[in-house]
Amino acid sequence: PARMDSLFLGVLIAWANIQPIALNRKYLASAAVAGGLGFLVMLFSNRDMVDWWMSVVGYSVIAVFFAACFTLMVTAKRPLDGWPVKALAPIGLGAYSIYLFHMPILIAFVAYFGQSLTALGASTIFVFLVAWASWRWVERPAIELGHRVLKYGTRRGPLLGL
């Protein structure tokens, strides 16, 4: 089984951004606020990560929150300016590693600290450290090797000069 709602939202956002339609920013902002509030309710509700509520509703609410925030950011009048892009670009670089390592790290921290905000906070920090290390010492050298061997593209990322 796979959760397709997040993937579908990503495809829908990509499609909407290339269509000659105007996205209503009020509705997007409302979806971001509602999703963010739902995210906070789930975060502090002490629900298990795999119970029915989280599996069926919770992850969809989180997907709506991030999809709405991302769409608001990229459809702004000057989307590549300001702190949101500078803050989110490094997370984008580490996104695959974050995806790969977040659950094993969270499970290990919950086993050690118990299901608590301490476990959540410590595991979040550790996931970002692992993602940074993976980018720095695995992904980036592999990408640079691919560029040298295959002789295409540029060595530097467009947003951060990485």
Side-chain angles (χ1 to χ4, degrees):
R3 294 202 48 90
M4 299 303 288
D5 52 351
S6 301
L7 176 64
F8 174 72
L9 281 170
V11 171
L12 186 62
I13 290 167
W15 174 82
N17 281 317
I18 62 171
Q19 297 302 313
I21 59 173
L23 296 172
N24 188 321
R25 294 183 61 79
K26 289 180 189 176
Y27 291 138
L28 288 170
S30 298
V33 169
L37 290 174
F39 188 29
L40 289 174
V41 166
M42 288 179 291
L43 184 63
F44 293 108
S45 68
N46 289 329
R47 294 209 178 265
D48 192 297
M49 294 179 289
V50 292
D51 75 0
W52 181 89
W53 179 255
M54 282 301 293
S55 296
V56 175
V57 178
Y59 295 119
S60 298
V61 170
I62 294 168
V64 166
F65 169 68
F66 284 108
C69 289
F70 178 78
T71 305
L72 281 168
M73 189 179 75
V74 299
T75 59
K77 290 183 180 167
R78 298 175 58 176
L80 296 179
D81 291 343
W83 69 267
V85 169
K86 289 184 173 125
L88 293 175
I91 295 172
L93 290 175
Y96 187 64
S97 294
I98 291 168
Y99 164 74
L100 285 179
F101 297 117
H102 81 281
M103 283 307 290
I105 290 171
L106 180 59
I107 289 168
F109 276 74
V110 167
Y112 185 78
F113 292 108
Q115 192 165 347
S116 65
L117 286 177
T118 302
L120 181 64
S123 66
T124 300
I125 292 167
F126 192 68
V127 163
F128 280 96
L129 289 172
V130 168
W132 173 81
S134 175
W135 168 254
R136 172 69 179 88
W137 289 303
V138 178
E139 294 177 53
R140 188 166 125 185
I143 291 169
E144 288 176 351
L145 175 65
H147 285 256
R148 281 194 306 272
V149 170
L150 300 175
K151 310 267 191 263
Y152 70 90
T154 63
R155 290 184 60 209
R156 304 245 174 232
L159 295 178
L160 296 176
L162 299 174

